[in-house]
Amino acid sequence: MSEISTVDPSAAVMDLKRRDARDKLTGRTRYTMDRAGAGMLHAAVLRSPLAAGRIRRLDTSRAAALTGVHAIVTADDAPGLVGIGIADHPLFARDVVRYIGEPLAAVAAERPEDAAAALAAIEIEIEPLPAVITMADALAEGAQLVHPGWQDYEVLFEGGRREGNVAWEATAIRGDVDAAFARPDAVIVENTFRVGRQNHLAFEPRAVVAHYEDGRFHIETSTQVPWTVRNATARVLGVPASEVRVTVPPVGGGFGLKFDMAIEPFAALLARASGRTVRLVNSREEEMLTCLCRENAEIRIRSAVTRAGEILGREAVVLMDCGAYGGEQIFLTTMTAHTLGGNYRVGASRLVSRAIYTHTAPNGAFRACNGVYNTFALERHTDEIAQAIGMDPLAFRYRNVLGDGDLGATGQRYEGEVLRPMLERMDTLRGIPTAATRMADGRLYGRATTVGTWFVFTGPSAATVNMNADGSATLVTSGVEIGSGSMMTGLPQIVAATLGIRPEDVVVRQADTDAAGFDVGVGGGRTTVSLGAASLAAAGEVRGKLLRVAADMLDADPEHLTIREGRIEVAGSNGPGLSIAEVASRAQTLLGPIAGTGGFTSKGTPAMSGCAAGHFIDALDIPVFAVHDCEVAVDPDTGHVEMLAYRVVQDVGRALNPRAILGQIQGGVVQGMGYALQEEVTIGSEGNILQTGFETYRVPLAPDVVPVEVSLYEGAPSLGPLGIKGAGEVPILNVGASVACAVANAIGRPVHELPLTPPHVAALMLGRRSAPVLPHIAGRWTDNLVKKA
Amino acid sequence: MTLRLTINGRESLAPDDPMTPLVDLLRERFHLTGAKPVCREGFCGACLVMIDGEPTLSCLTPGGLAEGRDIRTIEGLSPAGRLNPVQNALEAHDAVQCGMCFPGMVMTLTHALRRNAAPSREELRHALTGNTCRCTGYERILDAALSAAGALQGGEP
Amino acid sequence: MIDTHPSLYIAPTLGDALSALGERGAEGAAFAGGTWIMRAPIRHQPLGRAYVALGKIEELQRVDVTPAHVEIGACATHATIAAALAPCSDLAVLAEAAGRSANPAVRSAATIGGNLMAADFAAADLVPALLCLEASVEIVARDGVERMTISDFLLKRQYLACDRLLSRIRIERADRRSAHTRLPLRKAGDYPVAIVSLSARIEAGRLMEPRIAVGSVEPVARRWTPLEAALEGAPIDIAAARHAAEAYAAYFQGREGIEAPGWYRISVLPALIGRALQSLSS
């Protein structure tokens, strides 16, 4: 049955054009924020002006009586708590407020100005409470607890240690670290690092249009995770999940921002209360103040190495600011073991990752979450190790990068020799490095090569393929097109290759939780992998059915049939054949329409038992590696860093659509460049985010960027369908690391913080700034752990 | 009060106040949602429309000041779905990702290439200073624009 | 509820604009390019009650260039000014300031008058450029015209009576050279964190009557008089000029901002002086 069960992967490889480009170029695409309907109401949300306080009074009666106001909802309307790992997050602040911008009430009115007037008319008194704004505040002796009732929350995932402002703690311990550090030949290198938050600045803000029809909610929303929105909305509203339907129009940028429920329940509640369609679109300022940013983090890392360059032992403490609620950071504590614990072969290691509550806006997921700063810390630390033992940093990496059979931090055994040949590939791409340190124009030149370890976030996905009698196929999934093109190219390519039709003839159904089965969401590099595997399985079932019907029609053995270019033929030259439409049509008449379903989930790659505690993923199903090389020029007078060249060797397994991948790499590197050099989120002493829009939050512009030189590395082992790996998330992974290492090399001083804005770099050169002092990370690693009761 | 606007060659009436930003009139009153109010402060360029042939920030233009002028939105730049050379090139180069910035990008590039048939890559980079893109990293947009250079001379797209 | 929408009157002539402003009194305000006023909501400032738009008044859009002087209407846009002054090497500072600020779409909307009237906008490019050119401004009212130096204007602009209008900026031309150096945090597209505008006569390789203005470092741009004195008659020597700038840097108190700390704005001034001098002498 080889023809029936296997697909020639090369049939799926092509630079397929995106089907959504034309409408996007002509302004016809209707994103959620563009959707309007007759009789639609406009919603707005009242937000807390204080970071911490007790709600003494919230009176909506005067606001409700205003002209044009149709509904007002508050905490009384939304009883449930949601969260990842711990259910700690109410929809509206209840009794207390925990961050500036926390929702207190939502209104729906005829016109936006009526809604704004209603917000202004809600009477509210909040008694200020002491706030913990920084992680140092939160971990101080006797600190105010962000959640005094933390012990009462429902635990949704067992295993993480928690206490007070430590929302979650995950540890990965392998081998005898004390013995490694005690070795007489060990050189000890220790560093501290700190990074700020990064705002996704997705162009489409979070936006939702909600309807309440036939006793069910229909939510159209700009999300990456329709099923999470369905289930979480149901939970906070206290209704069965089956009463919530989520559909997703084209999404105007996600990058992880939309990997969680957002403002959907407000609109849903208001739609139910008013009996009207309700639209809610965040203002840019709301997006800035309540963005689920990439979290700020503080890191201490310490390694024991021999003079010959062997890494004997490593320990690290990573503090991740989750803001007022645990959210994604609870999950992301997992990733330290695989990112900071990745890249290199290490004798023994112990890593602790702690999500810390503060009275600031909650953080969330952002492209290569956790990985970007842990890779920054690890790679800068690696350069300092190389310097300490007098070894060339590239030679040190060649010696130590993970290879076939090496152990990761949780005891996972890596397969295949991948990073070392990728380093060689980079040597070819880059050529022999220049030794120059000062350029003709007086600027300081620096260069660096870094490595990175990432993964594909597998997990459940479902797909259905309906074979239509006209020879086209319809692919039904809960996958969302967020801009990467995976739903427009990769998935139809897989289905088309399986069915022997053109990708243009695969209709891709827009995500609808009423039509397609469960899906974890679009993100984590999983779209083409998980949805792709489900789609491959579904299409494979259709293919088998088609071939069996065709075999009957052609009086041939199904195994002797070929299926390609829209036809099923008996193998061999001039064999008789039929068009796929003929076969599908015949099948429909004889047996009913042909369809296939497919499912996929994580494989659960094993870790070493007893290594990992509090981890949501003990080992990586599909590791992904990256090697980056960066050249910079630094202005010694002003601290401006110019990127001169950037090169990427990326492990893609198999490149299904090379052109699309190259587009993702260019975009991801530039987003990482913003993180490394420009994008700064400052939290004021009151807990307010100071950057409120595009003027102050500076992302890279066309004059700032360079074309990235790319080499796609194919052939590394992958569990993904047709041997693919996710390619859209990883390009950002080691940009912060590469830029920081290159800048450090240029200025001859170590770099321990990001972003490297001109004032920051100038301060480093002037000696006004040194490594961050982190007294809230204890010197003895074990003193950082929550004590077992 | 009623505003009398000429949008994509058609006279249109809007019962709105004259200080209402043009972008809101286009989107809410006339359902021309191609222009996007992304930053509302003139930095992102996603709301650009042509007014009398000049790329104009519709978020910072009061509707009252657009009366009597020729307003052309992205929807009117490619009537009947025909792409202009810039749009064609952007499609051919697979430049589009989420797409939100492209209505504004098309305005800026169309204007830049009408002004200068043979711009350098650096000139185009600087022409795009007011057009932020969060997805693509710009280089493909520049590739596409350079390939379309010369095709926009001589009037309408 | 009362309708709070502001009104907008499009004045056909300067006279009509002045009458309209007079009638509206304290509730009225002039509306030029709109790039500042239209952003009031995002600054959490209420819009005014009644605006008088100046954009249709032909005489306010004009840039008149003669060999002796330049007169710029208050509603000339940055783009118009940059184009009109491109051939005038003595006014390179102003052409550069107008041609590099913000981004192309803003430059084609934002006006010189708006730039000068936005008293809260510390990073205005045109202000230091006009200071180093010793420009004068013309204020019109129904009962006459008042002229004042740009420095005086910067002191008085917040207290301008509501029926008076900044109408024109005048620059006397001279055998001088000028340069504008600005330091945005990106290559372009954001407001500069520090600006140095420089104008001087060059005689036998020496700087004569140098005028140096510094913008964005403090809330309002001003001349760097001690440095001007120190460089008077000095040979063009970039290293020496940078050295002198370092010596007199304490003349300024850098403003703290979200984008840059005060010390940084001051610390880059010597380099900006060096660059200005470099471009002046090239």
Side-chain angles (χ1 to χ4, degrees):
Chain A
M1 294 285 283
S2 61
E3 266 296 335
I4 289 182
S5 53
T6 64
V7 176
D8 171 15
S10 67
V13 173
M14 66 185 80
D15 282 337
L16 179 67
K17 204 159 86 167
R18 296 176 63 130
R19 56 187 70 187
D20 57 343
R22 187 163 273 255
D23 273 16
K24 286 178 171 176
L25 285 164
T26 54
R28 284 159 210 272
T29 303
R30 307 286 275 204
Y31 302 87
T32 302
M33 70 178 288
D34 299 328
R35 292 186 178 237
M40 181 183 78
L41 300 177
H42 299 266
V45 175
L46 180 69
R47 297 179 178 279
S48 170
L50 291 178
R54 187 167 306 284
I55 302 170
R56 289 290 176 208
R57 195 164 79 93
L58 180 70
D59 185 348
T60 59
S61 53
R62 205 164 63 82
L66 292 179
T67 314
V69 174
H70 285 249
I72 303 186
V73 292
T74 65
D76 295 341
D77 302 284
L81 293 172
V82 289
I84 297 171
I86 318 153
D88 62 358
H89 197 166
L91 181 62
F92 292 104
R94 196 177 296 159
D95 305 324
V96 294
V97 293
R98 296 191 174 91
Y99 69 96
I100 291 177
E102 180 161 26
L104 294 162
V107 306
E110 291 287 341
R111 303 176 304 167
E113 49 267 45
D114 299 330
L119 291 191
I122 294 175
E123 292 165 38
I124 180 144
E125 281 171 39
I126 301 175
E127 173 199 337
L129 291 173
V132 292
I133 303 302
T134 65
M135 291 194 282
D137 294 344
L139 293 175
E141 195 70 38
Q144 177 85 9
L145 293 187
V146 179
H147 294 269
W150 62 273
Q151 281 167 301
D152 305 330
Y153 290 137
E154 183 187 352
V155 174
L156 307 170
F157 183 90
E158 295 291 341
R161 282 186 285 201
R162 311 191 289 130
E163 183 178 58
N165 285 333
V166 179
W168 193 270
E169 182 177 284
T171 53
I173 303 171
R174 182 176 56 73
D176 189 344
V177 179
D178 286 324
F181 277 91
R183 264 180 52 168
D185 58 342
V187 177
I188 313 294
V189 179
E190 177 172 339
N191 294 119
T192 54
F193 297 95
R194 177 160 53 204
V195 295
R197 298 185 183 194
Q198 183 180 24
N199 190 303
H200 312 70
L201 212 80
F203 264 37
E204 185 187 25
R206 282 161 293 175
V208 54
V209 177
H211 320 263
Y212 188 71
E213 299 157 347
D214 300 327
R216 297 180 76 221
F217 297 94
H218 174 200
I219 296 173
E220 296 178 87
T221 182
S222 185
T223 189
Q224 298 170 244
V225 287
W227 279 87
T228 304
V229 170
R230 172 188 183 268
N231 296 341
T233 299
R235 195 179 156 105
V236 289
L237 268 49
V239 301
S242 59
E243 287 181 14
V244 182
R245 172 190 178 201
V246 176
T247 59
V248 188
V251 173
F255 318 116
L257 169 65
K258 299 167 184 172
F259 209 79
D260 203 350
M261 180 188 82
I263 58 176
E264 293 87 357
F266 303 126
L269 280 173
L270 290 166
R272 186 175 63 184
S274 66
R276 299 266 289 266
T277 295
V278 173
R279 178 168 80 179
L280 176 61
V281 180
N282 267 354
S283 70
R284 182 54 54 185
E285 184 178 23
E286 288 179 297
E287 284 291 277
M288 296 305 295
L289 298 186
T290 68
C291 172
L292 301 170
C293 287
R294 186 191 300 289
E295 66 276 12
N296 50 307
E298 291 163 339
I299 298 164
R300 198 198 67 172
I301 175 168
R302 197 162 159 254
S303 298
V305 289
T306 66
R307 293 263 163 213
E310 183 188 354
I311 307 168
L312 304 169
R314 173 164 288 162
E315 60 181 26
V317 180
V318 177
L319 303 182
M320 307 161 64
D321 188 348
C322 57
Y325 298 100
E328 194 76 34
Q329 276 62 45
I330 304 289
F331 173 91
L332 293 177
T333 54
T334 290
M335 290 313 299
T336 292
H338 308 302
T339 56
L340 205 152
N343 291 9
Y344 302 109
R345 189 175 57 245
V346 176
S349 69
R350 56 188 174 199
L351 312 172
V352 59
S353 208
R354 320 180 87 195
I356 308 297
Y357 286 128
T358 59
H359 284 115
T360 63
N363 287 312
F366 192 140
R367 204 173 194 168
C369 317
N370 167 293
V372 291
Y373 56 77
N374 273 332
T375 304
F376 154 66
L378 177 59
E379 291 301 281
R380 276 289 308 127
H381 179 64
T382 299
D383 275 6
E384 295 203 25
I385 290 172
Q387 190 179 21
I389 62 171
M391 194 181 238
D392 173 70
L394 189 53
F396 182 87
R397 286 176 170 84
Y398 265 110
R399 187 194 190 287
N400 287 303
V401 289
L402 289 170
D404 190 28
D406 285 338
L407 289 177
T410 62
Q412 161 169 26
R413 206 165 274 287
Y414 283 93
E415 266 181 64
E417 197 65 29
V418 184
L419 268 170
R420 223 162 264 116
M422 286 175 68
L423 281 168
E424 286 164 8
R425 180 80 68 88
M426 179 58 83
D427 285 344
T428 311
L429 190 65
R430 177 210 317 113
I432 298 161
T434 331
T437 53
R438 193 172 274 267
M439 301 167 63
D441 61 11
R443 288 185 299 169
L444 308 168
Y445 171 87
R447 193 201 60 76
T449 305
T450 67
V451 300
T453 306
W454 192 240
F455 79 127
V456 175
F457 180 42
T458 49
S461 279
T464 300
V465 171
N466 294 319
M467 189 71 221
N468 305 315
D470 57 10
S472 69
T474 306
L475 173 64
V476 184
T477 72
S478 291
V480 175
E481 177 51 58
I482 58 172
S484 67
S486 300
M487 299 301 299
M488 297 292 146
T489 55
L491 293 195
Q493 282 173 238
I494 288 172
V495 172
T498 310
L499 298 179
I501 61 179
R502 301 179 311 155
E504 296 87 325
D505 295 327
V506 179
V507 176
V508 179
R509 171 75 152 88
Q510 201 171 63
D512 181 346
T513 56
D514 274 7
F518 179 79
D519 190 78
V520 176
V522 166
R526 67 184 301 283
T527 316
T528 321
V529 171
S530 300
L531 281 159
S535 303
L536 180 65
E541 188 183 333
V542 170
R543 173 190 171 104
K545 290 177 178 173
L546 281 174
L547 288 174
R548 278 188 288 276
V549 172
D552 279 348
M553 291 168 75
L554 293 166
D555 201 18
D557 187 327
E559 284 186 55
H560 295 147
L561 297 179
T562 64
I563 176 165
R564 59 192 169 88
E565 291 171 16
R567 292 184 62 77
I568 298 175
E569 293 176 351
V570 178
S573 55
N574 299 322
L578 296 160
S579 76
I580 287 174
E582 286 174 283
V583 179
S585 175
R586 177 62 171 260
Q588 182 168 303
T589 311
L590 286 181
L591 313 161
I594 289 185
T597 59
F600 177 81
T601 193
S602 45
K603 297 286 182 283
T605 298
M608 202 180 274
S609 111
C611 282
H615 282 62
F616 289 70
I617 299 171
D618 285 355
L620 305 179
D621 279 342
I622 306 178
V624 180
F625 298 104
V627 176
H628 288 203
D629 186 274
C630 174
E631 295 179 58
V632 299
V634 180
D635 187 326
D637 293 323
T638 66
H640 281 66
V641 177
E642 181 180 7
M643 199 179 265
L644 300 173
Y646 205 91
R647 301 179 185 87
V648 170
V649 177
Q650 185 171 316
D651 161 29
V652 295
R654 179 192 302 277
L656 271 195
N657 188 324
R659 191 169 69 156
I661 294 175
L662 298 184
Q664 287 298 303
I665 292 177
Q666 176 71 35
V669 167
V670 167
Q671 220 168 45
M673 180 192 152
Y675 180 70
L677 294 175
Q678 300 169 336
E679 298 177 29
E680 193 164 31
V681 173
T682 315
I683 298 175
S685 57
E686 305 297 307
N688 50 322
I689 289 173
L690 301 184
Q691 286 80 2
T692 55
F694 276 55
E695 178 189 332
T696 41
Y697 192 75
R698 291 175 307 277
V699 299
L701 298 174
D704 300 311
V705 309
V706 292
V708 177
E709 294 170 60
V710 184
S711 175
L712 301 181
Y713 184 87
E714 297 191 84
S718 173
L719 296 172
L722 313 179
I724 64 167
K725 296 187 176 188
E729 179 163 49
V730 73
I732 199 173
L733 179 68
N734 26 353
V735 186
S738 308
V739 171
C741 291
V743 169
N745 291 339
I747 66 177
R749 288 169 188 265
V751 167
H752 297 111
E753 295 178 81
L754 294 178
L756 289 163
T757 62
H760 178 179
V761 177
L764 290 174
M765 290 189 293
L766 293 169
R768 294 180 71 110
R769 189 161 172 165
S770 45
V773 178
L774 307 174
H776 48 296
I777 298 182
R780 235 171 41 152
W781 185 85
T782 43
D783 291 345
N784 289 286
L785 307 187
V786 167
K787 302 291 172 286
K788 278 187 179 155
Chain B
M1 126 156 230
T2 297
L3 300 173
R4 189 178 291 272
L5 300 167
T6 310
I7 303 169
N8 300 328
R10 180 179 308 177
E11 184 110 322
S12 310
L13 297 179
D16 290 283
D17 292 286
M19 284 293 284
T20 310
L22 178 60
V23 68
D24 294 325
L25 295 176
L26 293 173
R27 294 170 55 82
E28 303 299 328
R29 186 63 61 195
F30 301 113
H31 309 293
L32 295 166
T33 55
K36 311 291 184 202
V38 172
C39 78
R40 289 189 182 269
E41 49 180 329
F43 284 98
C44 76
C47 72
L48 285 170
V49 299
M50 297 285 193
I51 297 187
D52 294 339
E54 289 288 322
T56 304
L57 294 159
S58 63
C59 69
L60 300 183
T61 303
L65 291 186
E67 282 190 300
R69 306 172 72 185
D70 176 34
I71 303 162
R72 199 154 290 269
T73 69
I74 187 72
E75 292 89 345
L77 204 65
S78 44
R82 272 204 333 271
L83 303 188
N84 83 4
V86 168
Q87 292 167 313
N88 252 326
L90 288 165
E91 186 187 31
H93 281 79
D94 194 35
V96 178
Q97 291 189 25
C98 96
M100 288 279 294
C101 71
F102 277 87
M105 287 277 174
V106 168
M107 291 291 163
T108 299
L109 292 171
T110 299
H111 182 259
L113 295 182
R114 276 185 193 154
R115 283 273 177 95
N116 182 355
S120 68
R121 200 175 183 91
E122 276 314 295
E123 285 171 326
L124 283 175
R125 264 185 216 288
H126 283 275
L128 286 179
T129 300
N131 289 88
T132 308
C133 174
R134 193 52 162 160
C135 298
T136 67
Y138 303 101
E139 295 294 336
R140 271 196 194 172
I141 296 174
L142 296 168
D143 292 341
L146 282 169
S147 81
L152 271 159
Q153 298 302 294
E156 284 304 292
Chain C
M1 231 174 107
I2 48 161
D3 191 357
T4 53
H5 291 290
S7 67
L8 178 69
Y9 166 69
I10 301 172
T13 69
L14 188 52
D16 292 320
L18 290 169
S19 303
L21 285 168
E23 284 159 22
R24 284 158 181 75
E27 288 203 335
F31 187 102
T35 54
W36 185 260
I37 290 172
M38 292 297 281
R39 286 188 286 161
I42 63 171
R43 292 191 297 267
H44 294 280
Q45 292 169 352
L47 275 175
R49 301 273 302 144
Y51 287 104
V52 175
L54 310 177
K56 289 266 156 54
I57 304 170
E58 206 275 334
E59 64 182 289
L60 294 186
Q61 328 276 321
R62 275 209 311 268
V63 180
D64 296 320
V65 181
T66 73
H69 65 260
V70 169
E71 285 200 337
I72 304 170
C75 286
T77 65
H78 286 60
T80 307
I81 295 168
L85 302 186
C88 313
S89 63
D90 55 322
L91 304 176
V93 62
L94 190 52
E96 188 81 357
R100 290 286 169 91
S101 71
N103 63 55
V106 169
R107 291 198 290 272
S108 70
T111 65
I112 187 169
N115 209 244
L116 285 173
M117 287 303 295
D120 294 337
F121 182 37
D125 271 282
L126 300 184
V127 178
L130 292 169
L131 277 169
C132 87
L133 293 172
E134 294 195 334
S136 60
V137 305
E138 187 181 281
I139 310 287
V140 291
R142 273 171 299 181
D143 53 1
V145 175
E146 185 186 354
R147 291 196 176 77
M148 62 179 84
T149 65
I150 181 82
S151 324
D152 270 354
F153 171 77
L154 293 178
L155 295 174
K156 293 178 182 166
R157 60 181 169 178
Q158 280 156 288
Y159 313 105
L160 217 55
C162 51
D163 59 348
R164 306 173 93 72
L165 203 58
L166 168 66
S167 58
R168 214 177 306 279
I169 294 89
R170 184 182 166 100
I171 302 154
E172 304 304 328
R173 299 187 65 181
D175 181 21
R176 297 175 74 88
R177 308 191 63 155
S178 67
H180 187 76
T181 53
R182 60 200 301 277
L183 194 71
L185 289 175
R186 287 175 293 202
K187 285 269 182 62
D190 49 88
Y191 298 133
V193 295
I195 306 169
V196 166
S197 298
L198 166 61
S199 154
R201 238 168 359 96
I202 298 180
E203 273 180 27
R206 288 177 181 274
L207 282 175
M208 308 306 290
E209 296 164 31
R211 298 179 207 139
I212 303 165
V214 170
S216 197
V217 171
E218 294 183 339
V220 182
R222 63 181 172 125
R223 295 270 291 270
W224 197 348
T225 41
L227 184 62
E228 291 177 359
L231 295 180
E232 174 67 50
I236 295 180
D237 176 338
I238 288 167
R242 287 182 57 148
H243 201 69
E246 266 166 45
Y248 292 106
Y251 186 64
F252 295 101
Q253 233 183 347
R255 89 192 143 92
E256 298 298 321
I258 300 169
E259 69 286 9
W263 68 262
Y264 178 74
R265 299 180 199 272
I266 304 237
S267 78
V268 298
L269 287 178
L272 294 188
I273 286 287
R275 284 176 202 183
L277 211 53
Q278 177 87 52
S279 105
L280 201 70
S281 57
S282 61

